[in-house]
Amino acid sequence: MKKDMVLYPAVFSKDGDYIFVRVPDLQGGFTQGNDTLDAVTMAEDLIGNLLEDQSEYPKPSNPEDIKLEDGESLVYISVDLAEFRLKYSRTVRKNVTIPE
């Protein structure tokens, strides 16, 4: 696996009209989506944003250690952080003219 490719378990549960997503291995790892596909997309974005400034990533939990309640399902989310950083780069190019 590439160094900047991460794979984390996420817990999906129905929350009214939405799918609530919890990534137990990441502090602040909560998001939601309108449907399952949107929830996966939002989880990818969440993981990318939480880890984009880090070089060492938290170790993913073992799936047997995650306790699921009724109505919850475990989904694995993979994110290529190198690609994420390129896509959402914060660099700005500026041309400067200086006197001789």
Side-chain angles (χ1 to χ4, degrees), residues 6 9 19 21 23 46 49 51 60 65-66 77-79 92-93:
V6 294
I19 304 290
V21 180
V23 182
L46 170 75
N49 281 309
L51 298 179
D65 297 336
I66 299 174
I77 307 293
S78 67
V79 179
V92 177
R93 181 182 173 145

Side-chain angles (χ1 to χ4, degrees), residues 72-86:
E72 292 184 335
S73 58
L74 189 65
V75 178
Y76 275 91
I77 307 293
S78 67
V79 179
D80 184 344
L81 291 168
E83 185 178 313
F84 185 87
R85 288 182 188 109
L86 284 175

Side-chain angles (χ1 to χ4, degrees), residues 5 7 15 20 22 53 76 99:
M5 184 68 110
L7 180 70
D15 184 24
F20 181 73
R22 176 174 54 94
D53 295 333
Y76 275 91

Side-chain angles (χ1 to χ4, degrees), residues 2-39:
K2 296 190 297 186
K3 182 182 180 330
D4 281 343
M5 184 68 110
V6 294
L7 180 70
Y8 285 102
V11 178
F12 282 32
S13 59
K14 190 79 169 152
D15 184 24
D17 293 336
Y18 302 99
I19 304 290
F20 181 73
V21 180
R22 176 174 54 94
V23 182
D25 299 316
L26 302 177
Q27 184 175 0
F30 302 98
T31 190
Q32 69 181 25
N34 295 322
D35 54 31
T36 304
L37 181 59
D38 188 43

